[in-house]
Amino acid sequence: MTDTLEQSATRGTATRRVDALVVGAGLSGLYMLHRFRGLGLDTVVLEAGGDIGGTWYWNRYPGARCDVESMEYSYSFDPELEQDWEWSEKYPTQPEILRYVHHVADRFGLHDGVRLDTRVASAHFRDRDGRWTVTTEGGEVWDTEQLVMATGCLSTSKLPEIPGVETFVGRTLHTAHWPHEGADFTGRRVAVIGTGSSGIQAIPLIADEAADLTVFQRTANFSMPANNAPLDPEAQAERKRGYPEHRKAARESGFGIPVPAATQSALEVDPEERRARYEATWGRNLVGMLTSYTDSIVDPAANETAAEFVREKIRGIVHDPETAETLCPRDHPFGTKRPCLDSGYYATFNREHVQLVDLKKTPLTEITARGLRTTEREYEVDDLVFATGFDAMTGSLAAIDLRGRDGKRLADAWADGPVTHLGLQVAGFPNLYTITGPGSPSVLSNMMVSIEQHVDFVADAVRYAHERGATVIESTEEAAQGWTDHVREVGDYTLYPQANSWYMGANVPGKPRVFMAYIGGVGAYRQHCDQLAADGYTGFAFSSA
Ligand code: NA7
């Protein structure tokens, strides 16, 4: 299809008509562009950032690194790509992933399909002709048949709800909006707020430079040493030889990373054997830690054995017993908040110039001109580093004025929490797709495995529709409600809902408290999607406008 330009009567701007619009040029959006182009669809990606890369464009804080191994966290759709690209370390750094994203975009000629610095403001479905009108903050108007939200699960950052942030006169940084030129902390007094993955990765490196570092911890987190290292070329070559089988195993696994299936309850083995098992996994395999036993993530007593093992490790590393106890997580089961991989995180608290403040004991009350005030005292600093996370999974969709059939707003449809069919589509929002959306395995998996599966599903569904002369694909209400009930039911079987996590929306005041990801496993999920597609896309209705 060729582009047509019409004059938009209302805005006086040119409306560009395309077959497909993709929002976001991260790892999902770029692969979606590639697949749609393969179907001959005129496709454009609108990207808010100044370059491609999504998460890996924005999150440039010191130590930013993926905690899935590089040879797993990479596209599998092209055998030559996966053979050619050489990773340098076990866990890839942010700059290396960004280089990889550029390599992929160069290799498949994707750059010219992406419009940078273009943030989508609204997307309204037109009942009369079954197409979408999409407007950008810059006033562009787009007219598209297919609309793919490849907006990421962790892309709308959040600041803490503490009064006074605008009064601080020093430097303010958020891990998800790090300056491209970096930030030098040499000789400075620094506060880091937040001890999730971003904080835990950044803190040791900030400590290397800062004159004084105070870490403000609200919730102690479980973290395991990454033991990162350069990738041995022979080991890399061997993995590449085995890629076909390995990728298949990843696709059929629980978390998108193949690990041997557990066969025993943690409570049926004796403590020595259990300890040996945790010791063998510690510092080697985060998913292995989570899946050591059949009941690790479903039975509180079984889970506690892993949690206590980590606490013992913390006590073994941190010299000051009081600091060690403050760093020991106690208010959520192991794994129910995203566990972290670190490089020297706990040992950082043995350094003279590093302090830990327990916000459970002395909550933050205010940000002042000079620093932070807790219920106990004021801390004067030069830099405030917010590692305070994201409005996860739904934040980036909520930021867009999204309206489906009859002008129904997504915000209203999801007032009590997201309702989706497979985490992919929302009933009443035809031709709209959410890549790794709420209700899919997404954040509970190796994102690359989930991204490829979703993008392939969408591309195949659109091809299926077009081959049958249909231009509109939409999930039925029953299918979406049925799937969402299933997602909740499986979630409720586990310990995940017990944590005040971003999986539960608990980190954003007023957000409905529901477990948003699907914990049934990427293998089972894929099988379900494949079956439903083979049966003619059960739960989806096809029509022409
Ligand atoms: P996270 O994991 O959401 O961590 C945010 C941290 O910030 C966490 O420790 C929060 O404590 C803390 N936080 C948030 N708001 C406040 C306030 N108001 N006061 C004090 N502390 C606060 O985000 P990350 O960027 O670290 O990681 C996101 C994901 O990226 C990660 O899970 C991986 O999947 C990759 P809380 O736990 O809410 O008490």
Side-chain angles (χ1 to χ4, degrees), residues 494-537:
T494 72
L495 301 172
Y496 280 97
Q498 292 189 13
N500 286 324
S501 64
W502 56 256
Y503 297 138
M504 297 293 297
N507 64 330
V508 177
K511 195 165 168 172
R513 193 189 160 95
V514 288
F515 185 56
M516 290 186 283
Y518 180 56
I519 185 63
V522 296
Y525 175 82
R526 176 184 296 268
Q527 244 180 28
H528 179 71
C529 290
D530 289 351
Q531 188 58 52
L532 165 161
D535 294 345
Y537 290 90

Side-chain angles (χ1 to χ4, degrees), residues 266-529:
L267 305 175
E268 72 184 71
V269 295
D270 70 61
E272 281 314 302
E273 186 186 337
R274 200 167 53 215
R275 211 194 143 71
R277 163 98 203 214
Y278 290 143
E279 200 66 67
T281 316
W282 179 252
R284 286 188 192 86
N285 191 331
L286 191 56
V287 172
M289 248 344 248
L290 272 173
T291 55
S292 296
Y293 294 102
T294 50
D295 45 4
S296 296
I297 204 68
V298 297
D299 181 284
N303 184 281
E304 178 57 22
T305 64
E308 187 52 26
F309 175 83
V310 181
R311 289 185 209 116
E312 276 174 31
K313 289 286 180 192
I314 297 170
R315 291 183 198 114
I317 301 169
V318 180
H319 301 159
D320 173 49
E322 201 183 324
T323 306
E325 282 316 306
T326 306
L327 287 165
C328 283
R330 296 193 176 280
D331 61 0
H332 62 284
F334 173 69
T336 56
K337 277 187 173 220
R338 179 65 151 72
C340 306
L341 282 186
D342 71 87
S343 297
Y345 173 65
Y346 293 119
T348 300
F349 293 93
N350 292 334
R351 301 179 73 170
E352 281 286 298
H353 67 299
V354 180
Q355 297 78 239
L356 180 67
V357 175
D358 182 357
L359 296 179
K360 286 266 157 70
K361 283 194 183 137
T362 57
L364 284 172
T365 54
E366 178 186 16
I367 296 173
T368 65
R370 292 177 304 186
L372 289 161
R373 196 190 304 281
T374 66
T375 48
E376 189 184 46
R377 54 166 277 209
E378 186 176 15
Y379 294 82
E380 285 187 24
V381 293
D382 303 309
D383 298 315
L384 277 183
V385 176
F386 294 107
T388 41
F390 302 87
D391 182 351
M393 307 196 71
T394 55
S396 298
L397 298 169
I400 297 171
D401 173 16
L402 263 167
R403 300 188 202 182
R405 278 197 190 284
D406 306 319
K408 185 169 186 175
R409 291 169 189 271
L410 187 70
D412 294 333
W414 285 6
D416 298 325
V419 180
T420 67
H421 187 202
L422 307 171
L424 261 170
Q425 262 212 328
V426 187
F429 292 74
N431 291 353
L432 178 85
Y433 313 89
T434 50
I435 303 298
T436 62
S440 74
S442 68
V443 290
L444 294 176
S445 71
N446 172 0
M447 287 300 279
M448 293 301 291
V449 173
S450 287
I451 285 170
E452 286 194 317
Q453 190 265 344
H454 261 192
V455 168
D456 287 338
F457 187 93
V458 172
D460 292 347
V462 171
R463 181 177 53 200
Y464 177 91
H466 285 178
E467 282 170 357
R468 283 156 184 77
T471 53
V472 178
I473 307 173
E474 61 186 306
S475 290
T476 64
E477 292 278 355
E478 303 70 50
Q481 197 53 58
W483 178 255
T484 304
D485 291 345
H486 173 63
V487 170
R488 305 269 191 277
E489 204 180 309
V490 180
D492 285 345
Y493 179 70
T494 72
L495 301 172
Y496 280 97
Q498 292 189 13
N500 286 324
S501 64
W502 56 256
Y503 297 138
M504 297 293 297
N507 64 330
V508 177
K511 195 165 168 172
R513 193 189 160 95
V514 288
F515 185 56
M516 290 186 283
Y518 180 56
I519 185 63
V522 296
Y525 175 82
R526 176 184 296 268
Q527 244 180 28
H528 179 71
C529 290

Side-chain angles (χ1 to χ4, degrees), residues 7-328:
Q7 274 309 111
S8 161
T10 47
R11 305 180 67 104
T13 53
T15 299
R16 188 168 161 208
R17 188 179 162 97
V18 289
D19 299 326
L21 264 191
V22 178
V23 185
L27 290 157
S28 327
L30 291 172
Y31 181 45
M32 193 76 254
L33 171 64
H34 178 62
R35 283 296 323 262
F36 272 163
R37 279 184 163 174
L39 297 180
L41 301 180
D42 180 20
T43 306
V44 169
V45 182
L46 304 180
E47 166 56 55
D51 203 348
I52 60 172
T55 287
W56 305 106
Y57 169 80
W58 295 103
N59 289 270
R60 296 166 182 258
Y61 58 85
R65 200 183 275 283
C66 183
D67 53 16
V68 173
E69 290 187 25
S70 41
M71 297 210 64
E72 314 261 7
Y73 192 83
S74 48
Y75 289 119
S76 71
F77 70 85
D78 185 275
E80 286 175 14
L81 167 68
E82 68 182 7
Q83 290 299 325
D84 289 353
W85 180 262
E86 295 283 322
W87 292 102
S88 68
E89 291 178 79
K90 182 177 177 191
Y91 293 104
T93 60
Q94 173 270 329
E96 186 165 27
I97 301 174
L98 202 53
R99 280 199 298 281
Y100 173 73
V101 173
H102 274 270
H103 169 78
V104 173
D106 293 341
R107 190 174 180 121
F108 296 98
L110 303 177
H111 287 286
D112 65 352
V114 181
R115 283 173 79 89
L116 301 171
D117 299 310
T118 306
R119 187 176 286 279
V120 169
S122 70
H124 295 175
F125 181 72
R126 303 196 303 262
D127 292 274
R128 71 185 149 77
D129 64 356
R131 295 178 62 91
W132 286 85
T133 302
V134 176
T135 60
T136 70
E137 287 186 355
E140 289 173 17
V141 185
W142 295 80
D143 175 341
T144 185
E145 181 188 292
Q146 305 295 330
L147 179 58
V148 179
M149 306 308 291
T151 40
C153 296
L154 296 158
S155 38
T156 298
S157 62
K158 65 177 282 290
L159 288 170
E161 308 70 32
I162 311 166
V165 68
E166 65 296 336
T167 59
F168 180 64
V169 296
R171 184 168 57 169
T172 306
L173 298 148
H174 192 292
T175 47
H177 299 279
W178 208 258
H180 288 206
E181 65 280 13
D184 185 5
F185 295 101
T186 311
R188 296 172 75 90
R189 297 166 304 167
V190 185
V192 176
I193 304 165
T195 51
S197 277
S198 304
I200 282 179
Q201 288 185 337
I203 284 163
L205 288 155
I206 295 176
D208 282 344
E209 286 182 3
D212 184 76
L213 172 62
T214 310
V215 175
F216 293 83
Q217 171 192 280
R218 186 164 70 182
T219 306
N221 225 327
F222 291 97
S223 185
M224 181 171 100
N227 288 329
N228 184 46
L231 262 182
D232 167 46
E234 188 34 49
Q236 181 154 194
E238 192 181 325
R239 168 60 65 80
K240 284 182 176 177
R241 285 193 288 278
Y243 248 150
E245 302 77 45
H246 190 86
R247 299 293 204 186
K248 182 170 179 292
R251 291 186 196 110
E252 291 170 358
S253 68
F255 289 94
I257 297 168
V259 285
T263 54
Q264 286 175 295
S265 157
L267 305 175
E268 72 184 71
V269 295
D270 70 61
E272 281 314 302
E273 186 186 337
R274 200 167 53 215
R275 211 194 143 71
R277 163 98 203 214
Y278 290 143
E279 200 66 67
T281 316
W282 179 252
R284 286 188 192 86
N285 191 331
L286 191 56
V287 172
M289 248 344 248
L290 272 173
T291 55
S292 296
Y293 294 102
T294 50
D295 45 4
S296 296
I297 204 68
V298 297
D299 181 284
N303 184 281
E304 178 57 22
T305 64
E308 187 52 26
F309 175 83
V310 181
R311 289 185 209 116
E312 276 174 31
K313 289 286 180 192
I314 297 170
R315 291 183 198 114
I317 301 169
V318 180
H319 301 159
D320 173 49
E322 201 183 324
T323 306
E325 282 316 306
T326 306
L327 287 165
C328 283

